[in-house]
Amino acid sequence: MLLGATYTWNNGGVPVSDWGVAANWMPAVVPNAQDDVADISSVLVAINPITITLTTVAPTIGTIIFDFNNSENYTISGPNALTFSASSGTANLTN
């Protein structure tokens, strides 16, 4: 699998935030391309559950990295779809 750019969730501890807001990512760009990597594993453990809404964008992503080792609960929801797409190999949801 090819990897695109990597973006790290950086919402400053807000429990509900929108995927489509550049300020929620580091660097401040919304991950929305085939092969892009969205790393959500750095979310503070104190924020539980973590809800990421898909209100402003219907993103395409190659990989999402979560941290399931810290008993965090994640919800990705909203009126738009999240699409996994890899130019080579398979797209991933990983820990």
Side-chain angles (χ1 to χ4, degrees), residues 1-7 33-38 60-65 84-93:
M1 178 180 82
L2 297 175
L3 296 178
T6 298
Y7 303 93
Q34 183 180 48
D35 299 321
D36 276 356
V37 177
T60 297
I61 198 79
T63 299
I64 296 181
I65 302 169
F84 285 87
S85 180
S87 60
S88 175
T90 57
N92 290 298
L93 175 65

Side-chain angles (χ1 to χ4, degrees), residues 21-33:
V21 176
N24 289 336
W25 298 97
M26 188 172 47
V29 176
V30 175
N32 186 18

